[in-house]
């Protein structure tokens, strides 16, 4: 066991995320399915656009962020899902063959008023490339089971 | 051509989204890749959870929403990408074999102050299942090229 549970969370606690390599094939297959805008599918269009090169859909970046959060935290605790994103910023394009990593910081820990067996943990995530350039920022929350 | 461009947008304008059928295989393959929490992968765990059945990752629902927005709007205009989500609420679980549809409503139209060739269009999206149950709600924006 990870030793992590609702009672062990505190504001300011940090978890390292990643690394995660974004391959060109992954980028294209996500875009084909969910975000087929020309600048996510065509190298020439992308290079001429404000993105400056073939870049991942923001929703792909967000989904990768979720995978990193699962691996670093949610799969190690009794997580019960989330109901919202409070803020999601795509700060810079994520290009093919970049490697992402980040930090999740706990920003709030409280019991649910309506469901006392559930805790609510708020957090923010900063995602960077290997050179330390900020790529995305998110604020969200997760419900966590409270041990009886 | 669609006849749609930055000058044709107005607050209150609506666009129909969907329908989009969420297959069980799609649900599982997205979850395996981006959100491998047990209640998104295992029918028995999901049924015993607060979700009440095998349900899509919220990020899958959001990515489907993006695809519907592309098909209904972004692929018909000179869209230049988005920098943020201002709010994303997953109101109810999206179950395997549900069919989603929704409405996008324009909530703001203005020129960028720093880049006068770019317009900023704000919008919100309500996503429902075929029975009219509200599944997700999003507020976001898109940059749109302004015709010279």
């Amino acid at each position: 066991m990870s030793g992590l549970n609702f009672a062990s969370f505190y504001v300011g606690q940090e978890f390292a995320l990643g690394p995660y390599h974004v391959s060109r094939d992954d980028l294209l297959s996500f875009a084909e399915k969910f975000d087929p805008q020309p600048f996510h599918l065509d190298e020439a269009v992308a290079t001429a656009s404000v993105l400056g090169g073939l870049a991942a859909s923001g929703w792909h970046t967000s989904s990768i962020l979720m995978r990193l959060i699962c691996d670093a935290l949610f799969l190690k605790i009794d997580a019960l899902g989330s109901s919202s994103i409070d803020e999601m910023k795509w700060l810079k394009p994520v290009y093919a063959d970049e490697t992402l990593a980040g930090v999740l910081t706990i920003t709030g820990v409280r019991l649910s008023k309506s469901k006392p067996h559930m805790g609510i943990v708020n957090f923010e995530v900063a995602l960077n490339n290997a050179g330390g350039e900020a790529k995305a920022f998110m604020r969200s929350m997760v419900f966590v089971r409270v041990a009886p």
Side-chain angles (χ1 to χ4, degrees), chain A residues 32-92:
Chain A
E32 279 163 13
K33 196 163 177 65
F34 296 115
D35 191 353
Q37 297 184 88
F39 49 77
H40 290 315
L41 290 174
D42 183 309
E43 186 94 46
V45 173
T47 302
S49 79
V50 292
L51 296 174
L54 199 64
S57 166
W59 295 100
H60 191 188
T61 302
S62 298
S63 298
I64 290 168
L65 193 52
M66 181 60 185
R67 177 55 192 254
L68 296 178
I69 295 171
C70 283
D71 290 343
L73 185 57
F74 289 1
L75 298 182
K76 299 178 178 177
I77 60 176
D78 207 347
L80 301 172
S82 173
S83 62
S84 65
I85 311 165
D86 299 312
E87 184 178 13
M88 177 83 232
K89 285 192 189 297
W90 298 300
L91 302 167
K92 292 278 180 190

